[in-house]
Amino acid sequence: GGLHQKFKNRGKVYWGSCADPNTLNIAANANILKSDHGQLTPENSMKWDATESSRGNFNFGGADTLVNWAVSNGKLIRGHTLLWHAQLPGWVSSINDKNTLTTVIQNHINGVAGRYKGKIYVLLHLYFSYVFLPSEIFNENGSLRSSVFSNVLGESFVTIAFQAARRADGTAKLYINDYNLDSNNAKVQGMVSLVKRVNANGRIIDGVGTQMHLGAGGAGGAQAALTALASTGLDVAITELDIANAGSNDYLTVMRACLNTSQCVGITTWGVSDANTWRTGANPLLWDSSYRPKAAYSALISAL
Ligand code: XIL
């Protein structure tokens, strides 16, 4: 079996990758998604700029293609992303009153989460997880990052967003997600406190995602990060793993950290082949630019 099947045999839910129409259209890439991955995250097609570039006008072209491909090939889907300060249209960032922004957030989340509700989870019994809700809201010191959301609404935007998502889809697991949660650092502590605070009056956040965009030798804190995030009592996931110029040990260290953390449901890499990565020139993935498995891939398979 491939990576996903072997990882699953070890008690995890999935090994996945991001994808979108542009990479699904590459046959070699699609074949690797089929053989070695059990979960897909839309790389760009479900972001705000792609789905609602002007107010109230939704476009689901790219996201539908990804979702339909995942469903027909039996892959789980993690939605990405309902709320993020980046790839955010200008019409949203220029809103400066609370009521308008609240309505706009609710309408956006209802539109995107409502689109894929039930179709996937109920009919096909797939685990549909909306992730990055919100995404990347912290500074490195654990305080709230400045964005239109925090500037206009303060921390309340987190609750507004999660409640809207819960209303739109009662079965999807709702995750909060950020980057640089790669060791037990101040940002991890800020995340843990926020999640506990927001969930204090009833659980609306189901899980915490750590992206883990790493460099070679940078995986040493992965176990400590997962352990700290799991102290929320929630599920945790590695949502965008890639490791610049990785050696086999870098990937092994991250995989073992997830295996050793019972609440870690799965690992998603941010792509398949070094030919298609946002980190140009970094060769951060498990297949080379000719879609051949790299040594790190073989090391993971052998360790499973
Ligand atoms: C990246 C995509 O991979 C690129 O194609 C796009 O140009 C920019 O966004 N954190 C995230 C992802 O949450 O959505 C980002 O994806 C990488 C960083």
Side-chain angles (χ1 to χ4, degrees):
L3 204 43
H4 168 67
Q5 192 53 53
K6 284 179 167 276
F7 202 46
K8 228 181 132 178
N9 292 346
R10 296 284 299 268
K12 296 299 158 184
V13 182
Y14 60 82
W15 187 287
S17 170
C18 71
D20 248 340
N22 63 320
T23 42
L24 292 177
N25 281 338
I26 301 166
N29 194 79
N31 286 336
I32 297 169
L33 290 172
K34 288 178 188 169
S35 62
D36 283 87
H37 300 81
Q39 176 271 325
L40 300 183
T41 302
E43 183 171 9
N44 290 299
S45 64
M46 223 177 264
K47 292 172 179 172
W48 200 314
D49 61 353
T51 52
E52 195 188 3
S53 60
S54 69
R55 188 171 175 181
N57 296 315
F58 286 92
N59 174 354
F60 294 114
D64 279 359
T65 300
L66 183 280
V67 168
N68 291 338
W69 195 95
V71 169
S72 20
N73 288 282
K75 310 301 182 192
L76 307 179
I77 298 163
R78 294 185 67 99
H80 173 68
T81 156
L82 294 177
L83 197 73
W84 189 24
H85 67 272
Q87 292 176 270
L88 184 69
W91 71 267
V92 183
S93 12
S94 60
I95 295 171
N96 50 27
D97 80 280
K98 290 187 186 195
N99 288 341
T100 306
L101 188 59
T102 301
T103 305
V104 159
I105 290 172
Q106 289 169 334
N107 192 50
H108 179 74
I109 290 178
N110 186 53
V112 179
R115 173 84 175 180
Y116 302 109
K117 177 203 160 145
K119 178 186 175 195
I120 289 166
Y121 188 86
V122 176
L123 291 181
L124 293 140
H125 301 279
L126 297 187
Y127 162 109
F128 194 141
S129 165
Y130 285 106
V131 209
F132 314 140
L133 203 193
S135 195
E136 300 185 355
I137 65 167
F138 291 105
N139 294 316
E140 299 313 304
N141 66 6
S143 63
L144 268 193
R145 169 203 278 273
S146 163
S147 71
V148 64
F149 306 115
S150 61
N151 294 344
V152 176
L153 294 166
E155 194 177 287
S156 73
F157 80 86
V158 177
T159 298
I160 291 169
F162 277 93
Q163 285 175 338
R166 183 65 83 213
R167 277 197 301 273
D169 187 335
T171 49
K173 295 201 186 292
L174 307 180
Y175 273 64
I176 191 165
N177 182 82
D178 222 304
Y179 67 100
N180 284 355
L181 307 177
D182 303 331
S183 62
N184 189 0
N185 56 23
K187 198 170 182 180
V188 163
Q189 289 308 313
M191 176 67 96
V192 170
S193 319
L194 176 90
V195 166
K196 288 183 173 167
R197 213 157 50 235
V198 170
N199 275 356
N201 300 319
R203 174 166 143 173
I204 52 175
I205 302 176
D206 295 317
V208 185
T210 163
Q211 299 182 5
M212 294 217 181
H213 295 294
L214 304 175
Q223 180 67 70
L226 292 182
T227 302
L229 295 173
S231 76
T232 54
L234 303 180
D235 284 347
V236 298
I238 296 171
T239 54
E240 302 185 16
L241 179 64
D242 53 17
I243 311 178
N245 306 305
S248 299
N249 273 335
D250 297 307
Y251 266 101
L252 276 172
T253 301
V254 175
M255 183 177 79
R256 288 194 172 122
C258 184
L259 287 171
N260 288 337
T261 306
S262 58
Q263 285 151 265
C264 182
V265 297
I267 296 179
T268 307
T269 58
W270 210 238
V272 165
S273 149
D274 290 338
N276 311 293
T277 165
W278 71 306
R279 299 175 76 181
T280 313
N283 300 317
L285 295 168
L286 292 170
W287 282 262
D288 70 16
S289 51
S290 304
Y291 302 90
R292 290 176 302 222
K294 290 158 69 172
Y297 169 83
S298 312
L300 296 181
I301 289 285
S302 314
L304 289 168

